[in-house]
């Protein structure tokens, strides 16, 4: 088989899509209203995949009690008026299966088959598992849970099960309803939940750590010492504790422009004192990180610092912001862009914003490729009246625009929703508060599985790992299908 044919086959087998049924209506033998079948998603998956059938009047049609895949009977996971969800059981083998809705008065077969595929992660080596697959998500202040585990451990497991080797979290126990008041190093060394998460097989960790704005009125020697000690101790611990793991850690913070703009006041004009203090803050942390790396030169663990910008369009319009007034005088390794002010612009405009950030980042030896990544992006479900497919389509477009620029990471906000507005979830999620996995979850899940298979096959065919540009080209083409 030609290599291009292999790529197409991986995309056709593993890339998620909605199987539509042309608004089929079913009338039961009783007096209940017609069921309208819109389709189901995803169209393929492995054992444990949640399949959701979309339509209307499911809840009123009470006699649908089981779902049948050939001879395999499955109880619904969730039934609402608009959807029925079920989970592919462990007893089912690889292959293609018709989906039947069955009950006392109903026996309806979907128009298309569901493909059960194998978990490629069981058949790849450590180098493939540790490759940077670029797309991922994060967990901060989750507002619901489904297990007895705490919010940190549960969401980390869910992200890992999704197929991601990237995890972004806060080193603040309170964000997960946990009780701990020690410093960051003590937290990850002593707290059982953080210890558990750091020993999971993630390759790339992003931490919010040591964020504050005490430097806004001038950066004192005492503040410099405290920040330097924090970063130095944390870096040494990470490099020693996880030596020989190949893990990478990125130490940063939440949206930095707000620390220059107290009270989220976009009309505030940052003072020269606050700008200078922020520059000194970044440089103190970076210098401490570099010194700690020198003290642990034997380790293969990589630790980087990143700054996060979030009001970049303001800076491009000439206002004093982190990107144009602080970043050029800092020595940070990477920049995270919390992309809400630019994510809905055209691809050309979005790329111009990313170019603007990159152009203001001083050059640095030892780091190849682009150094600006997307630390946050999302359009929440509420923006689309909770349409699953608009949510997937718009967020996928943002993701692809970032990938086409060459960003090293693009991280969706987030796995479980963290915001409630007027007692309603806003829908910053991949899995909603009822436990249903949305289509954009499967955009991540099945693309990551496809990516691992593609990297494995590439390595086998060419006796090397793919370059960053080769993988990004494949990823963009796959997500653009």
């Amino acid at each position: 088989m030609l290599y291009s044919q292999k790529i197409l086959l991986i995309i056709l087998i593993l890339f998620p899509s909605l199987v539509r049924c042309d608004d089929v209506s079913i009338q039961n033998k009783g007096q209940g209203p017609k069921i309208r079948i819109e389709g189901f998603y995803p169209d393929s998956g492995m054992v444990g995949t949640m399949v959701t059938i979309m339509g209307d009047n499911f809840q009123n049609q009470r006699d649908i009690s089981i779902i049948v895949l050939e001879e395999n009977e499955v109880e619904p996971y969730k039934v609402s008026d608009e959807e029925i969800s079920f989970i592919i059981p462990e007893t089912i083998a690889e292959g293609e299966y018709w989906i039947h809705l069955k009950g006392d008065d109903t026996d309806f077969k979907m128009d298309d088959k569901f493909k059960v595929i194998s978990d490629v992660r069981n058949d790849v080596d450590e180098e493939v598992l540790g490759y940077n697959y670029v797309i991922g998500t994060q967990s901060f202040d989750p507002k619901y849970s489904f297990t007895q585990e705490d919010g940190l451990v549960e969401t980390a497991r869910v992200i890992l099960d999704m197929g991601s080797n990237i995890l972004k979290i806060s080193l603040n126990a309170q964000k997960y309803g946990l009780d701990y008041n020690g410093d960051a190093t003590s937290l990850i060394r002593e707290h059982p939940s953080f210890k558990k998460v750091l020993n999971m097989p993630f390759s790339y960790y992003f931490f919010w750590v040591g964020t504050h704005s005490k430097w806004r009125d001038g950066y004192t020697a005492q503040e410099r010492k405290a920040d330097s000690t924090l970063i130095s101790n944390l870096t040494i611990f990470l490099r020693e504790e996880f030596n020989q793991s190949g893990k990478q850690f990125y130490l940063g913070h939440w949206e930095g422009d707000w620390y220059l703009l107290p009270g989220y006041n976009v009309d505030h004009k940052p003072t020269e004192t606050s700008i200078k203090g922020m520059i000194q803050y970044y440089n103190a942390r970076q210098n401490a990180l570099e010194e700690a790396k020198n003290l642990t030169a034997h380790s293969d663990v990589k630790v980087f610092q990143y700054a996060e910008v979030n009001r970049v369009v303001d800076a491009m319009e000439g206002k004093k912001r982190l990107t144009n007034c602080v970043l050029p005088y800092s020595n940070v390794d990477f920049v995270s862009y919390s992309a809400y002010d630019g994510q809905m612009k055209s691809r050309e405009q979005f790329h111009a914003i990313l170019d603007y950030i990159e152009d203001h980042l001083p050059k640095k030896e030892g780091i190849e490729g682009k150094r600006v990544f997307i630390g946050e992006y999302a359009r929440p479900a509420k923006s689309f009246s909770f349409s699953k497919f608009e949510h997937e389509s718009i967020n996928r477009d943002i993701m692809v625009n970032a990938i086409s620029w060459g960003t090293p990471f693009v991280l969706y906000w987030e796995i479980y929703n963290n915001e409630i507005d007027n007692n309603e979830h806003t829908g910053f999620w991949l899995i909603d508060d009822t436990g249903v996995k949305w289509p954009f979850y499967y955009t991540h899940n099945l693309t990551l599985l496809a990516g691992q298979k593609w990297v494995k096959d590439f390595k086998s065919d060419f006796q090397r790992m793919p370059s960053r540009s080769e993988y990004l080209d494949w990823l963009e083409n796959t997500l653009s299908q």
Side-chain angles (χ1 to χ4, degrees):
M1 182 183 291
L2 295 175
Y3 196 69
S4 60
Q5 293 174 317
K6 284 186 179 181
I7 294 174
L8 180 59
L9 182 61
I10 292 170
I11 293 171
L12 291 175
I13 291 176
L14 291 180
F15 194 70
S17 63
L18 167 69
V19 176
R20 295 194 178 274
C21 296
D22 298 323
D23 283 351
V24 175
S25 294
I26 313 165
Q27 179 67 59
N28 67 329
K29 295 178 182 178
Q31 299 302 312
K34 288 183 178 180
I35 297 172
R36 184 182 64 84
I37 304 290
E38 179 184 358
F40 65 90
Y41 74 88
D43 61 355
S44 62
M46 56 191 177
V47 168
T49 294
M50 181 183 293
V51 182
T52 300
I53 301 167
M54 305 293 297
D56 286 315
N57 294 324
F58 291 133
Q59 207 159 22
N60 291 322
Q61 179 59 36
R62 298 291 184 182
D63 81 317
I64 296 178
S65 56
I66 59 170
I67 296 150
V68 180
L69 286 80
E70 307 297 342
E71 302 302 320
N72 300 272
E73 294 188 356
V74 184
E75 291 187 3
Y77 173 84
K78 177 195 173 187
V79 179
S80 70
D81 203 43
E82 294 85 18
E83 63 185 36
I84 300 176
S85 298
F86 65 95
I87 295 172
I88 301 299
E90 294 181 358
T91 55
I92 198 164
E94 287 186 63
E96 297 186 347
Y97 297 85
W98 295 112
I99 299 175
H100 290 250
L101 302 181
K102 285 201 172 186
D104 294 337
D105 298 319
T106 303
D107 186 353
F108 175 74
K109 184 175 73 174
M110 306 293 286
D111 292 340
D112 294 274
K113 290 185 175 182
F114 181 86
K115 307 177 191 72
V116 177
I117 60 177
S118 63
D119 188 345
V120 298
R121 291 171 293 182
N122 297 326
D123 191 31
V124 294
D125 61 33
E126 291 297 321
E127 190 174 27
V128 173
L129 286 174
Y131 191 77
N132 176 14
Y133 293 95
V134 177
I135 64 174
T137 188
Q138 48 207 306
S139 174
F140 294 88
D141 195 22
K143 296 301 185 187
Y144 43 86
S145 63
F146 306 101
T147 72
Q148 296 301 309
E149 294 181 310
D150 60 64
L152 174 64
V153 174
E154 178 176 328
T155 51
R157 286 196 195 282
V158 170
I159 292 170
L160 192 65
D161 288 345
M162 187 179 72
S164 180
N165 61 5
I166 300 169
L167 180 66
K168 185 180 172 189
I169 59 174
S170 173
L171 297 190
N172 179 344
Q174 284 72 40
K175 289 290 185 183
Y176 308 96
L178 302 172
D179 184 19
Y180 193 87
N181 295 315
D183 63 26
T185 304
S186 299
L187 177 69
I188 62 175
R189 183 177 58 226
E190 299 172 1
H191 196 287
S193 294
F194 281 86
K195 287 172 64 178
K196 188 175 293 184
V197 166
L198 265 71
N199 280 290
M200 290 180 181
F202 291 105
S203 299
Y204 306 89
Y205 288 84
F206 294 80
F207 295 152
W208 286 353
V209 56
T211 302
H212 63 78
S213 57
K214 297 175 183 177
W215 39 260
R216 204 153 50 203
D217 59 355
Y219 197 51
T220 68
Q222 184 178 4
E223 290 164 353
R224 182 193 303 270
K225 181 179 179 180
D227 290 330
S228 298
T229 301
L230 170 71
I231 297 301
S232 177
N233 289 346
L234 183 58
T235 301
I236 290 171
F237 176 79
L238 292 170
R239 282 172 60 86
E240 291 184 343
E241 180 72 12
F242 299 101
N243 188 25
Q244 301 305 312
S245 71
K247 290 179 183 283
Q248 296 186 17
F249 297 92
Y250 295 75
L251 312 182
H253 57 81
W254 183 65
E255 301 173 340
D257 280 292
W258 295 133
Y259 296 108
L260 281 176
L261 304 172
Y264 308 109
N265 180 8
V266 296
D267 295 321
H268 176 79
K269 295 181 180 179
T271 66
E272 291 304 313
T273 299
S274 65
I275 291 171
K276 181 179 178 181
M278 196 176 204
I279 294 169
Q280 292 173 328
Y281 165 77
Y282 283 131
N283 290 344
R285 286 164 60 106
Q286 189 70 39
N287 292 340
L289 188 152
E290 298 294 345
E291 184 177 349
K293 286 165 61 176
N294 290 334
L295 293 173
T296 53
H298 59 280
S299 178
D300 71 339
V301 172
K302 295 181 179 180
V303 183
F304 303 102
Q305 182 191 191
Y306 71 86
E308 183 165 274
V309 299
N310 63 289
R311 300 291 298 186
V312 185
V313 174
D314 286 355
M316 296 173 76
E317 294 173 350
K319 297 176 182 177
K320 291 184 177 181
R321 296 293 185 261
L322 199 166
T323 302
N324 57 346
C325 293
V326 175
L327 199 58
Y329 310 101
S330 74
N331 54 1
V332 296
D333 297 311
F334 287 89
V335 176
S336 169
Y337 176 34
S338 184
Y340 301 107
D341 70 341
Q343 64 183 9
M344 294 306 296
K345 295 184 181 297
S346 69
R347 178 175 293 193
E348 181 180 40
Q349 291 170 320
F350 193 51
H351 285 189
I353 293 171
L354 294 171
D355 286 337
Y356 181 84
I357 301 169
E358 187 89 21
D359 289 344
H360 283 77
L361 181 60
K363 296 187 182 302
K364 195 160 201 172
E365 294 183 3
I367 302 177
E368 296 182 359
K370 300 287 181 69
R371 292 163 57 206
V372 177
F373 64 89
I374 309 301
E376 286 187 38
Y377 76 99
R379 287 293 306 279
K382 191 172 183 178
S383 299
F384 312 109
S385 300
F386 296 92
S387 165
K388 286 182 167 67
F389 304 110
E390 284 188 67
H391 176 265
E392 192 280 336
S393 176
I394 298 301
N395 282 297
R396 176 161 43 89
D397 285 346
I398 299 168
M399 176 195 284
V400 172
N401 286 344
I403 290 165
S404 66
W405 180 79
T407 187
F409 301 98
V410 52
L411 308 179
Y412 173 79
W413 184 272
E414 58 178 306
I415 189 69
Y416 289 178
N417 180 55
N418 71 308
E419 288 190 13
I420 295 177
D421 181 26
N422 292 324
N423 296 316
E424 182 179 47
H425 287 280
T426 55
F428 285 107
W429 57 36
L430 295 177
I431 302 175
D432 69 23
D433 59 308
T434 70
V436 170
K437 295 170 179 174
W438 278 44
F440 201 45
Y441 171 95
Y442 286 109
T443 301
H444 286 79
N445 174 229
L446 298 180
T447 304
L448 288 165
L449 293 177
Q452 289 178 357
K453 180 168 175 50
W454 182 82
V455 170
K456 174 193 171 186
D457 289 347
F458 187 103
K459 181 180 179 181
S460 175
D461 289 345
F462 296 105
Q463 304 303 305
R464 66 174 177 86
M465 297 293 281
S467 68
R468 176 61 37 215
S469 61
E470 287 169 331
Y471 172 73
L472 287 174
D473 285 346
W474 175 87
L475 184 61
E476 181 183 355
N477 289 335
T478 298
L479 288 164
S480 299
Q481 293 298 314

